[in-house]
Amino acid sequence: QKEVEQNSGPLSVPEGAIASLNCTYSDRVSQSFFWYRQYSGKSPELIMSIYSNGDKEDGRFTAQLNKASQYVSLLIRDSQPSDSATYLCAVILTTQGAQKLVFGQGTRLTINP
Amino acid sequence: DGGITQSPKYLFRKEGQNVTLSCEQNLNHDAMYWYRQDPGQGLRLIYYSQIVNDFQKGDIAEGYSVSREKKESFPLTVTSAQKNPTAFYLCATLDRQETQYFGPGTRLLVL
C-alpha cells in the first residue's frame, strides 16, 4: 500500500460547482496534512494545512480530516477556471527523528467554463 | 526578498556525464530536500538534510549525490549511474511549522 494515495483523475467540474478531492494515508500516527496546488511546469504551492479532525476553511477552500478513517479531503467551492491544476496531498512522516513530507501522485483538476 | 533559488532552469546532460543542480535558500531553514517529478506523477524524495554536514537518502537516492557544507546550499549531483535522469527536479525547505517551501525547479533533459 502506498503511504499516500490519491485518485489521479482527471477530474472535470463545471465552473461554479464544488470540486472534491480525496486522499488516504497509511501511517496511523501521522499528525500533519497538507494540500498543494501545482500548475503545469511550475513548483507546488501550499493551499491548506490541517492537523485536527474536522473541517478547516480558508476562503473558497475547505480541508477535511478524519484520522480514524485515515482520510483527508479538499473541497473547492465556486470553482473557477484558474483552479485548474494538479492538487497534491502530502503527509508529514517522522522517521528516526527526521521529518519528511510524503506526497500522493496528485489529482489533475479541470474546471470547465 | 526571501526564497529558494534553483539553477539552471533547464539543464542538458550528455550520456556518461555528471551534472550538478544548484539550490540556495535565504529563509534560514535548517531542513532541505530534493525531489524528482516525472510527467503526471507526484514528487519522489531523493535526499534530505536536517542540518549542515548531515544528509539522508530518500526513496530514490541511487544515481544521485548531495552535499550540505553550508546552511544555505544543498546541491544535487546527477551521476552517470542514473540511467533515466530526465525529470523535473525540485528543491525545498521545511520550516518549524512543517510548511514546505519549493524552489522554481530545474528541468533536466538528456541529449
Side-chain angles (χ1 to χ4, degrees), chain A residues 36-103:
Chain A
Y36 286 82
R37 178 176 62 199
Q38 187 178 25
Y39 292 113
S40 181
K42 303 295 184 182
S43 55
E45 54 181 332
L46 182 67
I47 298 176
M48 295 279 288
S49 57
I50 187 166
Y51 305 96
S52 304
N53 277 329
D55 295 359
K56 179 182 178 182
E57 187 175 317
D58 183 0
R60 296 187 295 111
F61 298 96
T62 299
Q64 299 175 317
L65 175 60
N66 183 327
K67 291 185 180 179
S69 300
Q70 295 175 241
Y71 175 91
V72 58
S73 65
L74 179 70
L75 301 178
I76 306 174
R77 289 183 301 281
D78 187 24
S79 298
Q80 303 296 311
S82 59
D83 294 326
S84 297
T86 296
Y87 290 80
L88 299 164
C89 172
V91 176
I92 288 275
L93 295 182
T94 301
T95 306
Q96 297 177 327
Q99 288 182 310
K100 60 178 185 177
L101 209 58
V102 179
F103 288 84

